[in-house]
Amino acid sequence: MDPLRTLWETFFDWDAMREALPEMLTVGLPNTLILAVSAALLGSVLGMLLAVAGISRTRWLRWPARVYTDVFRGLPAAATILLIGVGLAPLGMQVWGPNPYPLGVLALSLIAAAYIGEIFRSGIQSVEAAQLEGARALGFSWGEAMRLVIIPQGVRRVLPAWVNQLIALIKDSSLVYFLGLVASQRELFRIGQDYAATTGNESALLLAGLFYLALTVPLTHAVNWIDRRLRQGRQVAAAPDDTELDLAGETALPTTGRRDAR
C-alpha cells in the first residue's frame, strides 16, 4: 500500500493543486490562449497564401510554396521555435524589447502555416472544376471566381481539419517556454513545471494537463460534430402530397411504391 500512497500523494495532492490554481487561471490560461489564437490567425493567413501559391500554374510560386511546406513540416517544432526565438532574438530586442512572445507566435505561425496550407490546398482542389468554369462563364475573373466561389467551398470542406490544427497549436504553445519567460509571461505548462520543481510534487503539472484537456476535448467533440453535419448535409425537404399538387394544378409523380411500402 505504501507505493500506492506515494503515487497518490505525488500526483493528487489537492493542497498543491489549490496553491497553483489561481496563477494558472489568471496568468497561465490567458497566455496559452494568446499564443494559440494569435498563431492560429497568422498561420491561417499564411496558410491560405501557401495554398493559393501551391495550386498556381506559375512555377515560381508553386515551387517555393512546396519547399516551405516540406521544410517546416519536416523540422521538429522545438527546433523551429529555438532557431527563430534565439536566432532572431537580437533583432527582437531592438524592435519590441525582451518580450519573447512575438518570436514565439511567429515560430508557431510558421509551423502552423505549413500544415494549414496543405489543408486549404486539399480543400480547394476538392471543389469540382465545373464550379470554376461556371463562375467564369458568368463573367467572373479567375481571381474573383477563386475568392468568391472556390475558396469558400474548399474551406468549408476542410473546417474539421483546420480545427484539429488549432488543437495542435494549443498543445504546441507549451514549447515557447524554451525561449525563457518571466513570471507574468508563463503559460500553463511552465507554471505547472515551476511548481513541480519547487515542491517536488507533480500535482501542479497534472493540473496543467487537466487545463489542456479542458481546452482540447471540447474542441475535439466540436470537430466531430462539424464533420458529421457536413457529411450529412441538409435534410431533403419532404415531398408535397398529392392534394397540394392537385390544388396547384400540377400532376404528382407516381407514388405507388411508397404507398405499397406503407
Side-chain angles (χ1 to χ4, degrees):
M1 295 298 294
D2 288 340
L4 293 178
R5 182 179 180 83
T6 301
L7 288 174
W8 180 265
E9 292 177 351
T10 300
F11 293 101
F12 298 97
D13 187 337
W14 306 116
D15 291 334
M17 290 186 179
R18 193 179 302 110
E19 182 182 357
L21 181 60
E23 194 168 7
M24 287 191 178
L25 285 173
T26 58
V27 178
L29 182 60
N31 287 338
T32 296
L33 292 177
I34 288 172
L35 289 170
V37 174
S38 301
L41 293 176
L42 183 57
S44 296
V45 174
L46 295 176
M48 181 57 70
L49 297 177
L50 285 173
V52 175
I55 62 176
S56 173
R57 297 179 180 178
T58 304
R59 67 179 65 180
W60 305 114
L61 291 176
R62 188 173 63 253
W63 289 359
R66 174 54 56 187
V67 171
Y68 176 96
T69 301
D70 290 341
V71 169
F72 281 94
R73 290 178 69 181
L75 286 174
T80 303
I81 291 173
L82 283 174
L83 287 172
I84 294 175
V86 177
L88 299 181
L91 178 62
M93 288 287 294
Q94 298 177 6
V95 177
W96 50 71
N99 187 359
Y101 266 39
L103 290 178
V105 170
L106 176 62
L108 290 174
S109 302
L110 294 177
I111 297 169
Y115 292 92
I116 294 175
E118 285 297 284
I119 291 171
F120 285 161
R121 183 180 65 83
S122 63
I124 293 171
Q125 290 183 325
S126 70
V127 179
E128 296 78 6
Q131 298 278 348
L132 180 60
E133 296 171 358
R136 297 299 301 274
L138 291 175
F140 289 96
S141 66
W142 185 88
E144 291 174 338
M146 291 294 295
R147 188 176 71 255
L148 300 176
V149 179
I150 304 301
I151 290 179
Q153 293 186 66
V155 171
R156 179 177 178 271
R157 295 182 180 186
V158 296
L159 188 59
W162 180 85
V163 178
N164 278 329
Q165 188 58 40
L166 176 59
I167 293 173
L169 275 174
I170 293 174
K171 294 184 290 186
D172 287 344
S173 65
S174 63
L175 299 175
V176 177
Y177 86 93
F178 285 137
L179 304 182
L181 303 173
V182 298
S184 61
Q185 297 171 339
R186 295 178 298 171
E187 32 69 45
L188 287 170
F189 172 77
R190 185 61 180 176
I191 292 176
Q193 188 184 47
D194 287 347
Y195 272 97
T198 302
T199 63
N201 189 284
E202 304 298 321
S203 299
L205 198 56
L206 177 63
L207 180 62
L210 294 177
F211 269 97
Y212 282 109
L213 289 176
L215 292 173
T216 58
V217 170
L219 282 176
T220 302
H221 288 287
V223 168
N224 295 334
W225 181 82
I226 292 172
D227 186 53
R228 186 166 58 253
R229 294 282 295 182
L230 292 179
R231 290 179 183 275
Q232 290 176 351
R234 294 183 178 179
Q235 295 293 333
V236 179
D241 57 21
D242 298 347
T243 304
E244 293 175 349
L245 289 173
D246 289 342
L247 291 175
E250 300 179 2
T251 304
L253 294 176
T255 56
T256 306
R258 184 179 62 185
R259 291 175 178 171
D260 290 343
R262 293 179 181 175

